[in-house]
Amino acid sequence: MTIRGFRLGDVPFVASIVEEALHERYDPSLYGSLSAEWPDGFLIAAGPDDIPVGFLLGVSQVPGEARVLMFAVARGHRAQGIGAVLMDEFLVRCRARQFRRVTLEVRVSNATAIRFYARYRYSVVDLLRAYYSDGENGYQMARPT
Ligand SMILES: CC(C)(COP(=O)(O)OP(=O)(O)OC[C@H]1O[C@@H](n2cnc3c(N)ncnc32)[C@H](O)[C@@H]1OP(=O)(O)O)[C@@H](O)C(=O)NCCC(=O)NCCS
């Protein structure tokens, strides 16, 4: 498994991970336009065939801060440390940009992700009522870089 930057050819693979893991479907052009804003913030974990098996898409919308907009590993590749490698590398890149803080949002029911983030010293900073389109609440979590 290697960590590399996002390329436009990754879009169909990233979109299928998003659909399977996050149950969302976005306009395919979204990935390229977000990547253009901060190319180093969009990390791909690729298998030996160079096909993406996981990714972390970070953006910076608030000065001095990064936000994890999407983060997922394909089901058959979870619990092998790929998420940890992606998060470690993302934090390195945040520090390189001298961001002070990283934020993210997570469904209150997503115990696996919340446990992962807690292990990474993210803490809940806000309850986001009806944050998701199906009405579920979210937590905003944050950590210093
Ligand atoms: C959250 C997510 C990205 C984590 O990715 P991952 O690759 O499974 O993460 P890791 O393998 O690094 O860690 C997951 C667990 O596997 C364990 N693990 C790591 N390496 C391992 C290994 N070699 N063998 C066995 N277990 C291992 C970790 O200790 C961790 O356990 P814990 O969660 O009980 O603390 C993944 O679960 C996912 O895609 N979920 C669905 C999408 C999602 O919810 N995204 C977040 C939205 S906010």
Side-chain angles (χ1 to χ4, degrees):
M1 200 269 303
T2 52
I3 300 290
R4 59 167 175 80
F6 164 82
R7 299 182 204 125
L8 282 179
D10 295 327
V11 167
F13 302 100
V14 168
S16 97
I17 296 171
V18 167
E19 206 172 326
E20 174 228 2
L22 303 173
H23 313 289
E24 300 282 0
R25 239 187 254 217
Y26 300 105
D27 187 311
S29 67
L30 175 78
Y31 300 103
S33 52
L34 289 173
S35 155
E37 288 175 28
W38 179 24
D40 282 349
F42 196 165
L43 298 172
I44 298 286
D49 50 7
D50 205 36
I51 301 289
V53 296
F55 75 100
L56 190 159
L57 169 51
V59 294
S60 177
Q61 299 158 325
V62 174
E65 288 194 13
R67 176 178 169 213
V68 178
L69 196 63
M70 294 182 220
F71 176 40
V73 172
R75 200 177 296 281
H77 296 268
R78 290 186 200 153
Q80 297 170 21
I82 295 173
V85 173
L86 283 165
M87 183 59 75
D88 284 335
E89 180 59 27
F90 182 66
L91 291 167
V92 166
R93 293 175 181 211
C94 287
R95 286 179 213 116
R97 284 279 299 250
Q98 299 187 318
F99 292 143
R100 294 182 311 274
R101 188 169 179 258
V102 185
T103 65
L104 58 86
E105 293 80 29
V106 60
R107 286 177 181 270
V108 296
S109 64
N110 192 349
T112 304
I114 292 169
R115 192 173 58 233
F116 179 96
Y117 295 136
R119 207 153 31 80
Y120 268 86
R121 297 191 291 116
Y122 285 88
S123 44
V124 173
V125 292
D126 206 359
L127 173 67
L128 308 168
R129 285 185 201 282
Y131 181 75
Y132 293 95
S133 50
D134 60 2
E136 184 171 351
N137 293 341
Y139 290 127
Q140 185 182 46
M141 301 183 80
R143 61 160 276 171
T145 50

